[in-house]
Amino acid sequence: MALPKTTMLQTKSLAADLDKLSTYEAVNHHVLTASDQAGLTDYEKKIITTLHREVRVELPILMDTGKWEVFTGFRCQHDNTRGPFKGGIRYHPTVNQDEVRALAALMTWKTSLVDIPFGGGKGGIECDPTQMSDGEIQRMTRQFVRRLGSVIGPHTDIPAPDVNTDARVMAWFLDEYAILNGHEPGIVTGKPVALGGSVGREDATGRGVMIATLAAMAKLDMLPEGTTCAVQGFGNVGSFAALLLHERGLRIVAASDAFGAVYDPRGLDIPKLIEHRKNTRSVIEFPQSEPLSNAELLELEVDVLLPCALDNVITVENAPRVKAKLIAEGANSPITAGGDLVLWEKGVTVVPDILANAGGVIVSYFEWVQNLGSFYWRRSRVEAELGELMSRAFEQTWELARVHKTSLRQAAFRIAVERVVEAKRLRWMQYFEPAKRH
Ligand code: NAD
């Protein structure tokens, strides 16, 4: 079922209402829309919009100044019907319970869409790691592991990096877990290769964004040469996506980070920009580029837009001014539910987060498989298997959207929701079919 045809005025008011939803409510809005399309019962809708468990911890940390500070951390375990909870840990001042719930739910739908045997979870600590020393971040990470206790484990809940966390943080996480429980490399993914990490994990999410973007461009008859692209967020996801698309002939004209954006209509030299960011810790003041604001970057006259920073950056307010024909969501939830409706009405193709940025959790799955089997793969195998899973999920989503004339987001959520509901039916048959209860 396509979205009902509405007048421009109705769309505007519906989109404005949708933008009032919290990030978690917005994810459930997409789940419920897909559930209606899949013909799920009210009971089924209720259980798939209900989370499994969440933990909130207070973390007293001795700071370098000699004073104690208390940080708040969360771990939300959304669903484990298809396998252990899986999802990253974010360190950021805006981390809050609703955001963590939304991110955990997205992991359930992402792992289901790409059909890997995991559920969904997410964690975060409300902190500003840019203002903390390595020692403070390490002490906070170790305290987080201790407070999470038995809630996590290599067959229970497996964390990974997210915003402001990386392989180094995962190494501390692994070490603290080993002190408490014995060495288990499968407790986290995204670790350094020397500690059982997978080759190809660091660039996996960006590589997945590249695969999804090129696949969508092929469907839209867009050739890489001459296609312009802007990337918001030049961190792990954004910088690798930009580099890989640059290598395939796209012209990356703008890139940004938390400090600002840079623009060059002739195309930025992405390897040099990566070097510049390494040396200066930001993309700003990149030689021969013009400065730009993050808001301006989103509204640039480009063919492809990759929001790869934080959530809710394209809303009902700025979506009408977005000029890109194609958006691939490198970040999680970068488009609000209202913004999404506006873009759909404008005819913009949006490759949703649960598809576009699934490369990271796919290679995390490979890493976990390698840890459990103590047998390590070559990069060529990681990349080939990643390409296969991404392409399969993309084709299934595109086809369902085409047949039912829906957005890619609705199609992706429908595939994901149907798989989880099927697994729940098989595990809990008596609840789904009361007549057969004995
Ligand atoms: P990161 O910390 O490596 O990079 C984030 C980037 O965004 C940094 O360059 C930062 O400066 C920039 N940024 C922060 N605030 C900004 C703002 N207001 N405007 C513009 N840029 C801003 O994080 P990451 O791992 O690249 O994650 C980015 C997004 O991708 C998040 O939504 C995350 O959940 C999602 N994601 C990450 C992975 C992964 O494997 N790392 C996997 C799937 C999804």
Side-chain angles (χ1 to χ4, degrees), residues 90 162 164 201 205 234-237 257-258 294 308-310 330-332:
R90 177 176 292 196
D162 193 75
N164 291 328
R201 173 61 184 89
T205 310
F234 205 67
N236 172 277
V237 179
D257 59 26
N294 262 295
C308 301
L310 295 173
N332 286 310

Side-chain angles (χ1 to χ4, degrees), residues 328-384:
E329 294 184 318
N332 286 310
S333 296
I335 304 177
T336 61
D340 198 48
L341 179 56
V342 173
L343 294 172
W344 165 256
E345 292 278 329
K346 276 176 61 164
V348 178
T349 300
V350 176
V351 186
D353 43 13
I354 59 170
L355 176 57
N357 70 35
V361 75
I362 291 174
V363 177
S364 276
Y365 165 54
F366 300 158
E367 180 176 331
W368 182 72
V369 165
Q370 292 170 69
N371 294 151
L372 297 189
S374 293
F375 179 78
Y376 288 85
W377 303 1
R378 292 200 189 125
R379 179 174 266 276
S380 54
R381 178 170 178 193
V382 170
E383 287 182 11

